[in-house]
């Protein structure tokens, strides 16, 4: 999870660096198109049967639909709200996962673990900063779109955990989503009038390959492998680290500044994760026990 969060934190920088050459929703479309054969090759080498009838089609299509719309909402939200606000609202996703896990999966968090979620979220908000007073209706619309994307991220995680997708190879689970996202993102990019204004630079091409092959094709597959084996709410809590890595990456790559405030924020995030992941007799996942899900 630390490796995934490090990758996703840097990915935000990669997207930002490519935007002058390739608009954001079109970026997402291209990376899905590039990631699909990567997922297929990895899955084939590992013995995944992509076209076997195993009862996962309906759940896979639903997850794919949510996956595609999720990124449309997030990228559109970024048009209206500053990135600092967007990151804070995007990381409401662990709360949706925790609530959904209780209702759908039977995973229960203790009061101390709920406190841990709140402390980690406070750390993220502190790291990004509580921004500007000039909040108008457009900014609020952007905030709402980002929250919608966070909710769909959580819902996709819960679908993968609570349906027959949990028995499918992770490559097949992410394959459904990547394949479904291509027409959804492509249509959104067309409706938004996004085009590539000029030949992308070698750096942009390299970063697009990084997004397609590593971020979507590999780390998203690893994420769904972890979701199948471990507590969805605890895994989701770890994603609070992602924006911290993003801030550090901004410092080294974009030469943003780091402050004592960021150090305090990092301490809050780590303390919150400790509270979420400390053993508790109140915490249980009875459905996982019944399903005898094996940790891999």
């Amino acid at each position: 999870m630390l490796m995934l969060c490090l990758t996703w934190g840097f990915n935000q920088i990669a997207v930002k660096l490519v935007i002058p050459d390739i608009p954001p929703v079109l970026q997402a479309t291209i990376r899905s198109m590039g990631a699909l054969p990567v997922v297929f090759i990895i899955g084939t080498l590992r013995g995944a049967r992509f076209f076997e009838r195993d009862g996962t089609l309906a759940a896979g299509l639903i997850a794919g639909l949510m996956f595609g719309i999720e990124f449309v909402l997030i990228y559109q939200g970024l048009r209206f709200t500053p990135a600092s606000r967007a990151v804070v609202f995007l990381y409401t996703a662990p709360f949706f996962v925790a609530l959904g896990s209780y209702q759908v999966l039977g995973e229960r968090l203790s009061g101390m673990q709920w406190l841990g979620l709140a402390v980690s979220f406070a750390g993220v908000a502190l790291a990004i900063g509580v921004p500007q007073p000039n909040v108008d209706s457009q900014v609020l619309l952007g905030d709402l779109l980002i929250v919608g994307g966070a909710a769909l991220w959580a819902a996709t995680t819960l679908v993968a955990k609570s349906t027959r997708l949990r028995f499918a190879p992770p490559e097949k689970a992410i394959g459904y989503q990547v394949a479904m996202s291509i027409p959804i993102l492509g249509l959104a990019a067309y409706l938004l009038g996004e085009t590539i204004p000029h030949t992308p630079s070698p750096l942009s091409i390299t970063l697009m390959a990084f997004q397609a092959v590593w971020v979507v094709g590999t780390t998203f597959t690893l994420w769904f492998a972890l979701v199948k084996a471990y507590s969805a709410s605890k895994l989701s809590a770890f994603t609070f680290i992602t924006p911290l890595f993003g801030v550090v990456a901004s410092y080294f790559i974009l030469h943003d500044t780091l402050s004592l405030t960021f150090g305090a924020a990092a301490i809050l995030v780590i303390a919150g994760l400790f509270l979420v992941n400390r053993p508790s007799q109140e915490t249980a996942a009875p459905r996982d026990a019944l399903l005898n899900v094996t940790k891999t």
Side-chain angles (χ1 to χ4, degrees), residues 83-98 112-131 143 146-147 150-151 153 233 236-244 247 261-262 264-276:
S84 58
R85 293 177 67 92
V87 171
V88 173
F89 284 111
L90 180 58
Y91 285 90
T92 57
F95 292 96
F96 289 116
V97 172
M112 191 63 68
Q113 289 171 318
W114 278 107
L115 176 62
L117 282 176
V119 170
S120 286
F121 182 76
V124 171
L126 182 62
I128 304 303
V130 181
D143 294 344
I146 297 292
V147 171
W153 179 11
S233 52
S236 190
F238 264 98
T239 62
F240 280 125
I241 299 175
T242 301
L244 299 186
V247 172
T261 302
F262 175 77
I267 291 172
L268 283 175
V269 171
I270 293 168
L273 290 175
F274 171 77
L275 293 175
V276 170

Side-chain angles (χ1 to χ4, degrees), residues 178-259:
V178 173
M180 280 287 291
S181 72
I182 293 172
I184 294 171
L185 291 167
L187 177 61
Y190 173 77
L191 293 175
L192 292 170
E194 291 190 355
T195 58
I196 299 176
H198 50 257
T199 302
S201 68
L203 175 62
S204 292
I205 294 172
T206 301
L207 290 175
M208 284 303 304
F210 163 77
Q211 291 185 55
V213 176
W214 178 247
V215 177
V216 180
T218 305
T219 67
F220 283 11
T221 302
L222 290 173
W223 164 256
F224 280 96
L226 290 171
V227 165
K228 288 174 58 179
Y230 296 96
S231 164
S233 52
K234 289 185 179 182
L235 283 176
S236 190
F238 264 98
T239 62
F240 280 125
I241 299 175
T242 301
L244 299 186
F245 283 145
V247 172
V248 173
S250 297
Y251 170 75
F252 285 107
I253 298 171
L254 302 178
H255 307 295
D256 291 350
T257 58
L258 290 178
S259 65

